Amino acid sequence: MGSKGILLILAGVLVAYYVYSPIPYDIEERWKLMVTDSFFRSLSNLAEISELLGLKHYMGVMMFLTVAEEVVPASDDNVKVTDALFYDVPVVVYEPKRKTNGELNRAVIFIHGGGWCLGSARMGPYDLLSRRTAKELNAVVVSVDYRLAPAYHFPVQFDDVYNVVKYIVQDHVLNQYSVDVKRIAVSGDSAGGNLAAAVAQQLQEDPEIQVDLKAQVLLYPALQALDMNTPSYQQNEYMPILPKTLMVRFWSEYFTSDLSLFHAMMSNSHNSLESAHLLKFVNWSVFLPEIFRLKYNYTMPSRKSSDPSETISAIIDPRASPLLVDDVKLQVLPKAYILTCEYDVLRDDGVMYATRLRRAGVQVTLEHFKDGFHGAMMLTTWPTSFEVGHRMVNSYIKWLDNNL
């Protein structure tokens, strides 16, 4: 064998070594996830180098994921699509063209994911999901383009989404889009699920709002930032798409660009005496069913914060961490659909919220995908789309159709 052949073999081995990652055997199409993850890891590595050299902020490089997926939402035979500003917040509105014999439309307010730092309502996967929701449910879908970190930190993202919801429930807006005020849901994936849950809670406390949401739909949501050492964070620390380091970076960037918070959260040492009394709301030894606790033993997070950025007041704000409200505030919430994935650092957030809502008397559907991983729903437009992602979308649409 010549030197060229040896070099080709070595190159192939190196590529295979880089692409390979230990994917759980429960996940189907494992090679697809390895290939997809190698792209995500490459971009993340590039972002880290760029930030280290002072060339560009980490999230500025990661924003390529958003830009590369952006489309220009356009009307088709079934759905009318328009851009609008609701209280100066950009939204994309999807209206079904099918006539309803005088009946008012259902409405879904959708909030995209991306760790409060990435993402857009104009990304292909979100456009496709909103378009399908509008068509199959004959519903008006309002997809929100809220401002992102690091340019804007908490609570700007929440405020943008909340203002959109307040705009929509005005009588003249409901009339403009022929929306039934009794059939409105708020929905979102990942960070969007966080914002959807927070909005549902805060609406109940707003004396200016007399409208009750029909449903909250939370797709692998992030719901607490106090304990970064739940079983799902430990089990899936190195899982593709959303490893612990990336999720913690999203959380810390949501609050501040001071990396001291990131390091404190990575070691689970960001709590203080100010947050100590709230740890009971995220005690997974109480709120996680045995099947999700696995081999892990509960250890209360340290309450002696080493974080000098003084952001704990934001971290414990229920608008940022919806799991931190007491049961009295949970009792008045609308029925919920919560989708979780076995191989997701955020799994336990969703499961604990489902447990707490049920104990508070709220009707909850917890749809757990044992072969699922974070982000699978939004990879349905990729060449390496996943069958489990399509099943998630179908479950989401079916539940909305039956409950909204």
Side-chain angles (χ1 to χ4, degrees):
M1 181 182 294
S3 57
K4 289 185 178 179
I6 294 174
L7 289 175
L8 285 173
I9 291 174
L10 288 174
V13 169
L14 289 173
V15 170
Y17 178 79
Y18 184 78
V19 170
Y20 176 79
S21 55
I23 306 296
Y25 282 95
D26 289 347
I27 295 178
E28 297 180 3
E29 304 172 301
R30 294 169 64 244
W31 69 269
K32 283 187 180 181
L33 187 53
M34 289 181 196
V35 171
T36 304
D37 181 54
S38 66
F39 168 76
F40 277 83
R41 282 188 286 113
S42 297
L43 187 62
S44 180
N45 292 337
L46 180 62
E48 290 175 352
I49 293 171
S50 176
E51 185 170 63
L52 186 64
L53 295 177
L55 301 177
K56 198 172 184 67
H57 189 281
Y58 177 87
M59 292 301 173
V61 177
M62 295 298 289
M63 195 65 181
F64 174 80
L65 293 169
T66 299
V67 176
E69 285 266 35
E70 282 191 338
V71 297
V72 179
S75 300
D76 58 30
D77 292 340
N78 301 300
V79 181
K80 175 186 176 184
V81 183
T82 54
D83 291 321
L85 289 174
F86 288 2
Y87 285 146
D88 295 325
V89 180
V91 299
V92 183
V93 183
Y94 298 79
E95 299 175 74
K97 291 183 178 180
R98 177 157 51 96
K99 303 300 180 183
T100 57
N101 297 320
E103 293 183 8
L104 295 175
N105 295 312
R106 297 179 281 189
V108 177
I109 302 163
F110 188 83
I111 310 161
H112 70 78
W116 308 278
C117 301
L118 311 175
S120 166
R122 291 166 174 77
M123 290 177 68
Y126 293 120
D127 174 65
L128 186 64
L129 182 62
S130 295
R131 193 179 298 275
R132 179 176 170 184
T133 305
K135 176 186 174 183
E136 297 192 18
L137 272 64
N138 219 49
V140 174
V141 178
V142 177
S143 192
V144 187
D145 248 345
Y146 54 90
R147 288 171 288 180
L148 302 172
Y152 302 94
H153 297 294
F154 173 83
V156 170
Q157 291 82 346
F158 171 84
D159 289 341
D160 280 356
V161 174
Y162 195 68
N163 284 333
V164 166
V165 176
K166 290 179 68 173
Y167 184 91
I168 290 171
V169 298
Q170 297 176 101
D171 288 341
H172 75 278
V173 179
L174 294 170
N175 292 333
Q176 177 184 350
Y177 293 105
S178 300
V179 168
D180 186 343
V181 70
K182 297 180 180 179
R183 304 179 75 187
I184 300 175
V186 63
S187 173
D189 71 306
S190 194
N194 166 282
L195 293 167
V199 164
Q201 290 181 4
Q202 295 302 311
L203 281 175
Q204 297 295 330
E205 300 185 13
D206 192 334
E208 297 180 2
I209 303 296
Q210 303 301 317
V211 174
D212 290 326
L213 295 174
K214 180 83 178 280
Q216 53 179 322
V217 183
L218 317 177
L219 311 173
Y220 33 75
L223 297 170
Q224 60 87 26
L226 292 191
D227 191 353
M228 302 289 103
N229 207 35
T230 63
S232 59
Y233 268 102
Q234 296 182 65
Q235 174 190 345
N236 301 303
E237 182 173 2
Y238 303 106
M239 260 304 289
I241 310 301
L242 190 67
K244 178 180 178 178
T245 52
L246 181 56
M247 188 62 230
V248 172
R249 182 65 188 265
F250 281 145
W251 268 121
S252 66
E253 204 67 51
Y254 188 27
F255 301 117
T256 176
S257 290
D258 185 342
L259 288 178
S260 62
L261 177 60
F262 167 74
H263 295 300
M265 293 182 81
M266 279 298 296
S267 61
N268 219 28
S269 60
H270 57 293
N271 284 279
S272 68
L273 293 178
E274 189 177 354
S275 62
H277 69 290
L278 296 171
L279 289 170
K280 62 184 178 182
F281 293 129
V282 296
N283 185 335
W284 56 262
S285 69
V286 174
F287 298 119
L288 273 188
E290 188 69 33
I291 191 174
F292 294 109
R293 298 180 200 174
L294 304 173
K295 62 184 179 181
Y296 304 102
N297 296 314
Y298 179 74
T299 302
M300 182 175 288
S302 167
R303 286 153 290 174
K304 297 181 179 180
S305 175
S306 58
D307 167 36
S309 62
E310 300 180 352
T311 54
I312 195 66
S313 60
I315 293 173
I316 65 175
D317 191 316
R319 294 173 299 170
S321 297
L323 255 172
L324 302 186
V325 300
D326 59 36
D327 291 349
V328 173
K329 294 182 179 179
L330 294 180
Q331 291 172 358
V332 296
L333 293 177
K335 59 185 171 182
Y337 172 92
I338 302 176
L339 184 152
T340 57
C341 300
E342 180 66 22
Y343 301 106
D344 180 6
V345 293
L346 299 179
R347 179 196 67 206
D348 295 343
D349 286 19
V351 175
M352 285 194 288
Y353 200 48
T355 299
R356 293 198 58 212
L357 287 172
R358 282 173 176 160
R359 292 184 181 182
V362 177
Q363 180 183 334
V364 179
T365 298
L366 176 61
E367 189 76 33
H368 181 66
F369 286 82
K370 293 182 179 180
D371 58 345
F373 56 90
H374 194 91
M377 280 184 73
M378 298 309 142
L379 292 172
T380 52
T381 59
W382 283 48
T384 54
S385 65
F386 296 85
E387 187 271 337
V388 66
H390 291 285
R391 282 192 279 119
M392 291 177 186
V393 172
N394 291 338
S395 173
Y396 165 76
I397 295 289
K398 181 178 180 180
W399 189 91
L400 275 175
D401 195 24
N402 292 334
N403 290 274
L404 183 58

